[in-house]
Amino acid sequence: GVALAMSSNYEISHSSWFDLFNDGSDSVYVITKPWGAFKSVSSRAKSKGTSYHKSCIIGYSCPSHANLALWLSDNNRKLQLDGTALLKGNVFLPIKGVDRAYVEGKNYHRDQLVYGSKFLSTEKKLVPEKAIKAHWESYLDGYFDPFDSVIEFENIPMSLSHSFSKKTLVALSNSPIKIDNYQLDGNIIIISKNNISVSAASSLDQVMLIAPRIVFEENTTARVHTVTSDSLILRSNSKLLYPSSFISIGSTEKEAYCKISSGAQLFGAILSFSESLRKTNRLSVEIEDGSSIKGLVYAENNLELGGLVEGSVICNRFLLSTPSGIYENHILNGQIDRSKIVTDFATVPFENEQSTSKIISWLKY
């Protein structure tokens, strides 16, 4: 059943019975649905009166861009590197290329500008499968899957494990939500029309959080997926385990903002969507010095990179804010190193690209 789900193209929620061998004796019921930036698969098999169940999270790798470190839009500006900035892997750059720079009294320290192969970013743009954004945008707007089981957040138990073979449990609140001392895992979506804060005293595993603003307090450890429309903050010394994902969806009126604070770690994917690519100095994603991302960072607008990305970055442009000014397409000390993760590392499927599905986490529930 899991293999059947993985062999199909990426699609929104789907559930079906399959007669495996067309003899009426063996059948599987397969449920697939987007789960953060990834997809959940649940399969229940029946044979001769006995049933078995398995669930997993799957991701996608793109063989044609297996060693992608950076894809940067061509906005008629070259990329400039300062300090200990690093580009390691295949990079897709504007026609004007990449150069050394001198900012805040710092020169570029390395012998080479790119440790890998260079290509032109004008050739092709990598865009995540459109169904990912569309699916979670509907949840932000208050439109859920008709098969979801909706309750008030106040009625959710402090400790709950909810299987992906069941209906998704949606816990909803019109007020701010404080997740403190909760032990929650599995097929659960928590939605606030205001904001959500998560304390280090809580334990969250594979839970979805949806709100205009979400904050993870210092020292939080979790495995979660989030969707925001205003701001998303991962504070210092917090750690989000694989596979976790951050999705921010801006509007025509306001750019959504995602911040990874110094000392924080995220293992998975960041997807930052913008409704318009108007030129502005407002950041979409900020990765502070001393923070680290292992996986994919996708920003349709402005990215400030001060920390380390072990994986791939796809963005419209870089911004660097210093006491002396704001610099376009500058990276000061930020590093992108594709060699730090496996070649077939799985994140999201891309539009019009051949992707390979891969089980990235078996679920106990």
Side-chain angles (χ1 to χ4, degrees):
V2 171
L4 279 170
M6 292 177 64
S7 66
S8 63
N9 294 327
Y10 188 90
E11 54 188 14
I12 304 179
S13 302
H14 176 76
S15 59
S16 293
W17 277 103
F18 295 93
D19 186 348
L20 287 183
F21 304 108
N22 295 316
D23 60 5
S25 63
D26 301 271
S27 60
V28 293
Y29 185 61
V30 178
I31 304 171
T32 67
K33 65 185 74 175
W35 203 248
F38 306 99
K39 183 192 279 189
S40 70
V41 174
S42 179
S43 176
R44 185 168 75 250
K46 291 185 177 180
S47 177
K48 300 175 183 177
T50 304
S51 64
Y52 307 86
H53 167 256
K54 278 216 169 193
S55 296
C56 65
I57 301 294
I58 64 173
Y60 295 80
S61 59
C62 183
S64 60
H65 294 286
N67 294 310
L68 175 70
L70 172 65
W71 188 96
L72 176 64
S73 295
D74 192 333
N75 294 312
N76 200 32
R77 281 183 176 271
K78 62 185 175 183
L79 175 62
Q80 299 191 72
L81 306 179
D82 310 277
T84 58
L86 173 68
L87 298 179
K88 190 171 183 180
N90 293 340
V91 298
F92 289 73
L93 299 169
I95 292 174
K96 292 191 175 182
V98 58
D99 204 354
R100 301 169 185 271
Y102 183 82
V103 173
E104 297 296 306
K106 295 183 179 180
N107 287 308
Y108 179 66
H109 292 170
R110 302 185 190 275
D111 296 330
Q112 298 175 219
L113 290 167
V114 175
Y115 292 83
S117 300
K118 291 186 287 185
F119 306 89
L120 293 178
S121 59
T122 52
E123 295 178 0
K124 181 187 288 187
K125 184 174 182 178
L126 287 174
V127 180
E129 179 69 48
K130 293 178 181 178
I132 299 173
K133 177 186 176 184
H135 181 81
W136 295 118
E137 201 166 28
S138 69
Y139 274 80
L140 278 171
D141 293 338
Y143 300 101
F144 311 146
D145 189 303
F147 295 103
D148 289 344
S149 178
V150 182
I151 65 171
E152 295 295 322
F153 176 77
E154 291 75 14
N155 295 327
I156 197 170
M158 294 291 291
S159 179
L160 177 64
S161 181
H162 191 65
S163 172
F164 279 89
S165 66
K166 299 178 181 178
K167 291 182 178 181
T168 299
L169 181 65
V170 176
L172 182 64
S173 176
N174 292 320
S175 304
I177 290 176
K178 173 78 170 181
I179 301 178
D180 187 25
N181 284 309
Y182 281 83
Q183 315 291 316
L184 305 173
D185 60 65
N187 190 17
I188 302 168
I189 300 178
I190 297 173
I191 301 178
S192 169
K193 294 185 178 179
N194 195 296
N195 64 69
I196 296 175
S197 62
V198 182
S199 78
S202 288
S203 173
L204 302 179
D205 191 2
Q206 295 298 354
V207 174
M208 286 282 319
L209 306 177
I210 301 176
R213 175 178 169 82
I214 298 175
V215 177
F216 291 89
E217 297 178 358
E218 292 185 359
N219 303 307
T220 299
T221 299
R223 190 185 338 261
V224 295
H225 309 276
T226 66
V227 181
T228 58
S229 58
D230 180 88
S231 56
L232 175 57
I233 311 295
L234 183 62
R235 297 205 186 280
S236 299
N237 301 317
S238 292
K239 186 174 184 179
L240 299 190
L241 308 174
Y242 187 67
S244 292
S245 60
F246 282 179
I247 299 176
S248 58
I249 303 175
S251 65
T252 53
E253 295 79 25
K254 188 173 184 181
E255 196 74 50
Y257 171 64
C258 173
K259 179 179 179 180
I260 311 299
S261 303
S262 180
Q265 302 175 57
L266 185 147
F267 196 173
I270 295 175
L271 304 182
S272 173
F273 297 103
S274 299
E275 283 299 312
S276 61
L277 296 182
R278 59 192 181 278
K279 193 167 183 178
T280 172
N281 288 334
R282 180 176 171 83
L283 287 174
S284 297
V285 179
E286 181 178 6
I287 302 173
E288 287 193 335
D289 185 22
S291 66
S292 65
I293 311 294
K294 188 183 285 286
L296 170 69
V297 177
Y298 174 84
E300 285 185 345
N301 221 321
N302 300 323
L303 165 64
E304 181 164 357
L305 177 61
L308 167 65
V309 176
E310 297 179 349
S312 305
V313 173
I314 301 170
C315 70
N316 183 52
R317 69 171 179 163
F318 290 100
L319 280 187
L320 172 64
S321 179
T322 73
S324 59
I326 296 175
Y327 299 86
E328 185 176 344
N329 266 7
H330 276 65
I331 301 177
L332 173 62
N333 299 328
Q335 301 182 17
I336 307 171
D337 190 345
R338 185 59 180 79
S339 69
K340 292 288 188 179
I341 58 175
V342 295
T343 302
D344 61 346
F345 183 81
T347 53
V348 304
F350 290 96
E351 281 281 313
N352 303 316
E353 294 285 339
Q354 189 67 38
S355 296
T356 302
S357 58
K358 180 180 180 181
I359 296 170
I360 55 179
S361 178
W362 286 106
L363 304 176
K364 63 180 182 293
Y365 26 76

